[in-house]
């Protein structure tokens, strides 16, 4: 729940921001497209949610196209990604604004989320609508039907169990796996959000930084280690993350080295990656209608409202009365 910190609960460890990686023409792209208006609204009219506008810059290297990370971020490596017509102020970077190692790049107005504020804010919005929160350890998805606040058996289950969908009875989705991410949160501020398409330190490592809203610090990342369940900090990786961030954005330390980074904490989280993409569908599990919404990998925030809209449509299909013959 919001406020918790657990290795398998990736949400608090996320940046979090909006720079889509979904492929053009896919349903996932539509989810991302439908999420932007909601995030834009929060940044513009609801400062208490911990979301603010921030300029995002993406630097691409041609040699990353065939890498593991490049495949994951394939849409982002395009010079004209589909979301250029969604986000404000999209523009290509001129050659003189690119480092020698980069072949192209672009910038646009995005949002960055302070997850420490946003997640409790979401919980508060649920409470305002009368939602009752309960904690429980479930062995099987259908055990959730016994937790309804009315004391009656629930008619429907919405499964948003993330990485737990891998082992939860009645689901046990073997397409699920962790994508280990490691980050460093610092007090330094440069008022930027930027990412490079890859690094020379390994195909499962990346370089990005973003300044969270409302004094939440700047998050430096990261890694994309599929199938890695390790919860422990990798000190060597942490050093590489900090070095890459300072090289990409020298203003972070006023042109000085990583020893001038003021570290708040190191983070390790397991993203709920799913081979084949996010699962949003309905099915009967032991006779109980279940709507699944899990497997968002490292793009849960930027697809959240679009995914919820799709899940809600499935819920309405299940609960709407059928016409009598």
């Amino acid at each position: 729940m919001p406020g918790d910190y657990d290795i398998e609960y990736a949400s608090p460890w996320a940046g979090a921001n909006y720079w889509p990686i979904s492929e053009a023409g896919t349903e996932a792209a539509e989810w991302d497209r439908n999420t932007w208006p909601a995030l834009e609204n929060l940044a513009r009219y609801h400062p208490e949610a911990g979301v603010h506008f921030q300029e995002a810059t993406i630097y691409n290297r041609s040699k990353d196209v065939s890498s593991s990370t490049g495949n994951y971020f394939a849409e982002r490596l395009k010079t004209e990604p589909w979301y250029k017509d969604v986000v404000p102020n999209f523009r290509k970077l001129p050659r003189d604004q690119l480092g020698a190692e980069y072949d192209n790049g672009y910038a646009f107005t995005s949002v960055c989320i302070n997850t420490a504020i946003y997640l409790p804010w979401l919980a508060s919005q649920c409470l305002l609508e009368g939602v009752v929160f309960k904690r429980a350890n479930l062995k099987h998805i259908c055990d959730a039907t016994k937790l309804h606040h009315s004391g009656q058996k629930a008619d429907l289950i919405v499964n948003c169990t993330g990485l737990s969908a891998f082992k939860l009875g009645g689901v046990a989705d073997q397409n699920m796996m962790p994508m280990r991410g490691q980050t460093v949160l610092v007090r330094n501020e440069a008022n930027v959000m930027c990412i490079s398409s890859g690094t020379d330190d390994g195909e499962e490592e990346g370089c990005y930084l973003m300044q969270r809203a409302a004094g939440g610090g700047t998050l430096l990342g990261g890694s994309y280690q599929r199938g890695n369940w390790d919860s422990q900090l990798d000190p060597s990786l942490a050093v590489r993350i900090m070095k890459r961030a300072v090289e990409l954005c020298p203003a972070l330390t006023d042109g000085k080295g990583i020893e001038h980074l003021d570290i708040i904490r190191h983070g390790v989280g397991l993203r709920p990656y799913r081979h084949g993409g996010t699962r949003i569908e309905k099915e009967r599990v032991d006779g109980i209608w279940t709507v699944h919404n899990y497997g968002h990998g490292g793009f849960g925030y930027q697809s959240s409202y679009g995914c919820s809209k799709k899940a809600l449509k499935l819920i309405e299909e299940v609960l709407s009365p059928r016409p009598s013959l």
Side-chain angles (χ1 to χ4, degrees):
M1 284 183 61
D4 294 346
Y5 283 88
D6 184 273
I7 185 67
E8 294 186 25
Y9 176 39
S11 297
W13 306 107
N17 67 347
Y18 186 91
W19 49 32
I21 63 172
S22 52
E23 184 180 350
T26 64
E27 191 171 25
E30 192 65 17
W31 300 334
D32 289 345
R33 181 186 299 273
N34 290 337
T35 297
W36 172 254
L39 294 179
E40 183 180 36
N41 179 272
L42 291 177
R44 193 176 303 280
Y45 300 113
H46 298 277
E48 73 279 9
V51 183
H52 72 164
F53 290 113
Q54 193 165 66
E55 288 302 297
T57 305
I58 295 177
Y59 300 99
N60 292 324
R61 309 186 307 178
S62 297
K63 66 180 180 179
D64 294 323
V65 171
S66 59
S67 69
S68 175
T69 302
N71 288 331
Y72 186 58
F73 295 135
E75 186 69 28
R76 194 180 293 166
L77 276 120
K78 296 179 180 178
T79 56
E80 293 194 359
W82 64 262
Y83 51 85
K84 68 180 178 64
D85 299 320
V86 175
V87 294
N89 305 316
F90 183 93
R91 59 204 181 277
K92 295 181 181 179
L93 297 179
R95 180 70 252 179
D96 61 3
Q97 292 183 21
L98 299 172
E101 69 271 37
Y102 298 109
D103 298 292
N104 63 75
Y106 52 87
F108 58 91
T109 301
S110 182
V111 296
C112 189
I113 302 169
N114 185 340
T115 58
I117 295 176
Y118 182 63
L119 292 172
W121 180 81
L122 286 177
S124 72
Q125 299 306 296
C126 292
L127 292 170
L128 282 172
E129 296 296 328
V131 172
V132 177
F133 289 99
K134 291 187 178 183
R135 291 181 182 269
N137 290 316
L138 306 181
K139 299 295 184 183
H140 193 281
I141 186 68
C142 291
D143 293 342
T145 61
K146 306 170 186 176
L147 299 176
H148 198 278
H149 66 276
S150 68
Q152 303 296 313
K153 185 177 180 180
D155 298 312
L156 176 142
I157 298 168
V158 180
N159 174 26
C160 302
T161 52
L163 191 56
S164 293
F166 174 74
K167 54 191 175 184
L168 182 64
V171 184
D173 190 337
Q174 298 307 294
N175 286 319
M176 289 296 300
M177 69 180 74
M179 178 183 280
R180 183 181 180 276
Q182 185 169 312
T183 59
V184 184
L185 185 64
V186 300
R187 293 182 178 87
N188 307 63
E189 295 184 348
N191 195 30
V192 296
M193 177 193 301
C194 50
I195 186 172
S196 66
S197 60
T199 79
D200 295 327
D201 293 326
E203 290 196 359
E204 291 187 324
E205 297 187 24
C207 179
Y208 58 85
L209 62 143
M210 61 195 75
Q211 186 175 317
R212 286 175 166 176
T218 301
L219 192 83
L220 317 178
S223 63
Y224 309 93
Q225 300 166 315
R226 299 187 201 190
N228 188 333
W229 291 86
D230 189 3
S231 63
Q232 300 304 303
L233 174 74
D234 180 343
S236 296
L237 175 56
V239 170
R240 293 195 297 274
I241 287 172
M242 291 186 285
K243 284 184 175 179
R244 291 192 295 255
V246 170
E247 289 173 1
L248 184 63
C249 181
L252 200 59
T253 57
D254 294 324
K256 302 174 185 177
I258 66 172
E259 64 273 13
H260 292 274
L261 288 172
D262 188 357
I263 299 173
I264 299 173
R265 66 170 174 266
H266 295 270
V268 178
L270 303 181
R271 303 178 184 92
Y273 177 79
R274 183 174 184 271
H275 180 70
T278 304
R279 184 187 184 193
I280 307 180
E281 59 186 27
K282 62 182 179 180
E283 69 166 337
R284 284 189 182 271
V285 180
D286 292 350
I288 304 297
W289 274 112
T290 302
V291 173
H292 300 288
N293 185 4
Y294 66 82
H296 301 84
F299 46 87
Y301 285 94
Q302 63 194 24
S303 65
S304 57
Y305 288 90
C307 289
S308 297
K309 182 178 179 180
K310 171 65 182 294
L312 178 60
K313 181 180 179 181
L314 296 178
I315 292 168
E316 291 172 342
E317 289 176 3
V318 170
L319 297 180
S320 61
R322 291 178 173 80
S324 56
L325 299 177

